[in-house]
Amino acid sequence: MIKKIEHLGIAVNSIEESIKTFETLLGTNCYKIEEVASEGVKTAFLQVGESKIELLEATNPDSPIAKFLEKKGRGIHHIAFDTSDIEKEIERLTKEGFELIHKTPKDGADGKIIAFLHPKSTEGILVELCQDK
Ligand code: ZN
């Protein structure tokens, strides 16, 4: 079952600068900075009520975030939905005809396992499913 919007992922040029912007905007402090080497990305998280903002900076030119920034520039990169059973959701959404980028969950940032859906089957928005480890 999909429970809520877990976070919004935002692609940024500089994580240090964007942390300052969002800390001021939200009146809260970034609680975690974490690098996900397999994705070529450095992430920073800020809590907003029940949801979070995830800032994403590329750590190498082949990173999906580097490619996104090149094509579209800074901005919303993905929406992440919290699930109680990610494998069941992957199975359900595959049956419903959605194109999954990850057919089995993988390790993500902030203590989650994750899977992405291809934006071409979700109205142009990259969708992430996530579940607490
Ligand atoms: Zn995310």
Side-chain angles (χ1 to χ4, degrees), residues 28-83:
T28 188
N29 289 325
C30 164
Y31 67 89
K32 184 187 267 186
I33 296 177
E34 185 181 349
E35 199 169 323
V36 184
S38 63
E39 290 287 310
V41 71
K42 193 167 160 189
T43 65
F45 287 90
L46 297 99
Q47 190 79 39
V48 192
E50 282 205 336
S51 303
K52 297 161 190 163
I53 296 292
E54 176 185 36
L55 304 171
L56 303 147
E57 180 192 79
T59 54
N60 69 63
D62 297 323
S63 155
I65 295 300
K67 288 179 184 145
F68 179 88
L69 287 167
E70 213 170 274
K71 236 164 64 181
K72 298 189 170 174
R74 300 176 301 168
I76 292 184
H77 176 259
H78 66 271
I79 299 178
F81 295 110
D82 193 20
T83 66

Side-chain angles (χ1 to χ4, degrees), residues 8 14 26 33-34 51 53-54 73 85 91 94 106:
L8 291 180
S14 158
L26 301 170
I33 296 177
E34 185 181 349
S51 303
I53 296 292
E54 176 185 36
D85 186 338
E91 196 186 308
T94 303
K106 53 175 268 177

